[in-house]
Amino acid sequence: MKRFIAVLLTLFLLITVLYKTNSFFIDKSGDAKYTHFMEAPERYDVVFFGSSHTVMGILPMEIWHEQRISTYNLGNYGQLLPADYWILKEVLSMNKPELVVVDAFTIMSDNKYGEQHLSYLHEVFDNFKYSKLKKEAISDLFPEEMWNDFLCPFSIYHSQWENIQQELFIDSCENYTYGEGSDENGFYGAKTDILVKPQETVSISSQNVNNTDTAGTIYLRKIIELCQEND
């Protein structure tokens, strides 16, 4: 009996150490964005999803100052509609926003993720709590050989031992700035000398859209259905 208890304690300590080490070494880039949202998701009436058009084009605090509507920007670089769908499912497990806004620029993409944007997807999923929903999302979005990288990212971050710096011990939610710019309710604004102007009105053409189902069209329908189910 004593040996059995000792084995259980050893396993518990091992799992705890691995979990804490994993939290310590994962990329902190997404902390300010996703941890901030998950700490108080009920604050937000409107949530935005999409790719770079959203992440650097929607300013939640400007909407708040002008309209007094609480919003959060959950867009990310290269984020495709399949990822939007699973992130929305996670959001709806915590909060029921009045409105969901989705950037459909990538609707004709037949991919569920982009190889060049995997680091940004880690920013998202590394910061989501381990759950059945997270496992379903990972198994749907990525091939089996990549599941462990997202479910247990310690497997890809363990080499960070040789790069330990003081910044790893700092609460990144309070001290992290994106590209020496800002992070306000998910909006990433990097310092730039370029004059940024509002988008002019554009005409929408359907000439590049066909009736073929793509991953984008399929998951946009799933997003719409999910929103309808949650009013």
Side-chain angles (χ1 to χ4, degrees):
M1 187 63 180
K2 289 183 179 180
R3 179 175 295 182
F4 177 72
I5 294 175
V7 170
L8 285 180
L9 286 174
T10 301
L11 287 174
F12 175 77
L13 288 172
L14 179 61
I15 292 172
T16 301
V17 169
L18 285 175
Y19 176 79
K20 291 296 184 181
T21 305
N22 181 69
S23 301
F24 180 73
F25 282 113
I26 62 173
D27 188 350
K28 299 298 191 298
S29 302
D31 272 14
K33 185 184 185 84
Y34 297 99
T35 303
H36 183 194
F37 176 84
M38 289 185 290
E39 285 176 348
E42 68 279 358
R43 294 179 184 172
Y44 308 105
D45 297 320
V46 181
V47 182
F48 294 93
F49 295 87
S51 58
S52 55
H53 303 86
T54 299
V55 73
M56 297 194 76
I58 303 295
L59 286 70
M61 295 311 297
E62 185 171 310
I63 295 173
W64 170 254
H65 291 311
E66 292 185 1
Q67 304 293 334
R68 283 298 186 264
I69 299 172
S70 59
T71 70
Y72 205 92
N73 187 332
L74 285 174
N76 210 337
Y77 298 101
Q79 189 161 283
L80 303 180
L81 287 160
D84 287 335
Y85 168 74
W86 285 107
I87 298 167
L88 175 59
K89 288 201 76 168
E90 179 73 15
V91 168
L92 291 175
S93 72
M94 300 180 283
N95 181 27
K96 296 294 187 291
E98 295 292 324
L99 180 69
V100 169
V101 181
V102 181
D103 162 28
F105 178 78
T106 61
I107 191 170
M108 297 313 296
S109 172
D110 205 25
N111 298 316
K112 291 187 176 181
Y113 71 94
E115 290 283 350
Q116 70 273 32
H117 295 115
L118 284 175
S119 62
Y120 297 119
L121 287 169
H122 271 289
E123 287 183 15
V124 181
F125 291 107
D126 289 357
N127 284 283
F128 275 41
K129 64 181 183 296
Y130 190 81
S131 64
K132 179 182 178 182
L133 180 58
K134 180 174 180 175
K135 290 190 290 183
E136 290 175 349
I138 300 305
S139 61
D140 178 61
L141 292 174
F142 307 105
E144 187 172 354
E145 61 269 20
M146 294 174 61
W147 291 356
N148 192 54
D149 292 347
F150 280 90
L151 292 173
C152 184
F154 176 76
S155 61
I156 60 174
Y157 293 131
H158 62 84
S159 61
Q160 298 257 12
W161 282 108
E162 57 192 42
N163 298 315
I164 292 178
Q165 298 176 355
Q166 183 179 359
E167 286 74 15
L168 290 173
F169 297 90
I170 298 174
D171 183 351
S172 57
C173 291
E174 295 181 0
N175 297 279
Y176 175 76
T177 57
Y178 188 85
E180 297 183 347
S182 66
D183 173 80
E184 294 183 331
N185 285 25
F187 165 71
Y188 284 165
K191 288 182 178 178
T192 176
D193 294 327
I194 300 174
L195 179 61
V196 180
K197 299 179 180 180
Q199 172 65 52
E200 297 178 0
T201 302
V202 295
S203 59
I204 305 299
S205 172
S206 61
Q207 63 183 7
N208 295 322
V209 179
N210 55 47
N211 294 321
T212 303
D213 274 342
T214 63
T217 60
I218 291 170
Y219 277 84
L220 182 58
R221 291 192 194 102
K222 290 164 74 77
I223 288 171
I224 292 170
E225 291 168 1
L226 187 59
C227 288
Q228 290 172 337
E229 292 169 6
N230 288 272
D231 300 318

